[in-house]
Amino acid sequence: AASFERRVLRSAGEHHYLRVRLELPDGGARPNVAQFKQLVVSALKELHGEVGAALPVDVLTYEEKTLSAILRVVSSGLVKLWSALTLLGFYQNRRCAFRVLQTSPFLLALAGNSRELVL
Amino acid sequence: MVRFKNRYVLCEVVSEDPRCRQCIEDRAVGLAVRDAIGRVHGDFGLACCSISFTVKYLNAYTGTVLLRCRKDSYRLLCSALPFVRQLESRNQRYPCFLNTLHVGGTIRTCQKFLIEYNRRQLLMLLQSCTNEDERRCVQKSLLSCSLTEEQCLSGNEDDDD
């Protein structure tokens, strides 16, 4: 009888992708893409210091109208980024909140969202 | 058994300014290290490392400092030590840096290491002596701290991991 060997690789790829939306309930000027990235990096810097601010985070897409973006981060930094986004409270002295809508180690998985499925 | 495990980091304060020695106090060093951790690792790192953080031992003459922290956050502490660039006390600041000598699980292991390290430093000082008085002083200290045959028989102690 032949013997089989099964290999399971648990590495989920080197990047994680997050679809986030910034909520500004008090209205006002909307940040452009550079200010958005500056906001993300400053959130990391507050919670995780220089090491956090040096984490390679990329803004892949940004829509100024809905203030939603797709962020890419190295997999080892996902916890740091997500916790920093969660604890960010203010943007230019206005209240703000980050809502994480989808997250996946594969960018393609962010294309389909069963929450917005219209049956 | 469940108990809190600590790590003791032994460092040496090195400074070009000889007046920095008077600035080496536990509060000044503790504040400088905390401030460096806050800059490098942010609020989260500062809170993590401050749980059981103290300056356990300080020797202003040799510039030796023993810091304690929790075992889970000693890596955050050790990685932030190179970012300590000055010591401040009584409104005076002096540039300096911290050299990490040893990380141990108990004060006893750090003490054993420090005794050996100081012996080796005395030998190096003897080689770099410039005049006769210094040479005689260092030779006297070396003779007083070398082991005789009876002292060589020291038992094994249980070490923390």
Side-chain angles (χ1 to χ4, degrees), chain B residues 78-96:
Chain B
C78 287
S79 61
L81 286 181
F83 291 86
V84 174
R85 285 206 299 269
Q86 60 183 23
L87 284 184
E88 183 172 338
S89 98
R90 278 164 282 172
N91 286 331
Q92 290 185 328
R93 40 184 91 134
Y94 299 103
C96 65

Side-chain angles (χ1 to χ4, degrees), chain B residues 97-161:
Chain B
F97 66 89
L98 294 185
N99 217 359
T100 306
L101 303 175
H102 186 247
V103 176
T106 51
I107 301 188
R108 192 170 295 163
T109 54
C110 289
Q111 187 188 30
K112 280 202 297 200
F113 174 85
L114 188 60
I115 293 175
E116 273 310 304
Y117 178 78
N118 284 341
R119 274 205 195 111
R120 274 179 274 141
Q121 290 297 96
L122 274 179
L123 281 173
M124 285 193 345
L125 277 178
L126 184 61
Q127 285 170 358
S128 64
C129 270
T130 43
N131 63 2
E132 261 314 301
D133 282 337
E134 281 179 15
R135 195 175 290 271
R136 255 182 283 129
C137 277
V138 178
Q139 269 176 340
K140 204 169 67 152
S141 345
L142 265 176
L143 285 172
S144 72
C145 78
S146 322
L147 291 172
T148 58
E149 277 199 22
E150 302 98 64
Q151 288 169 329
C152 268
L153 307 165
S154 58
N156 283 334
E157 293 130 6
D158 292 347
D159 284 336
D160 206 350
D161 51 8

Side-chain angles (χ1 to χ4, degrees), chain A residues 89-116:
Chain A
F90 289 95
Y91 169 60
Q92 285 177 354
N93 287 332
R94 289 177 271 160
R95 289 181 310 153
C96 75
F98 267 98
R99 307 290 181 211
V100 174
L101 306 169
Q102 289 168 294
T103 173
S104 167
F106 308 109
L107 185 53
L108 190 54
L110 297 187
N113 187 1
S114 63
R115 288 182 193 172
E116 287 153 24

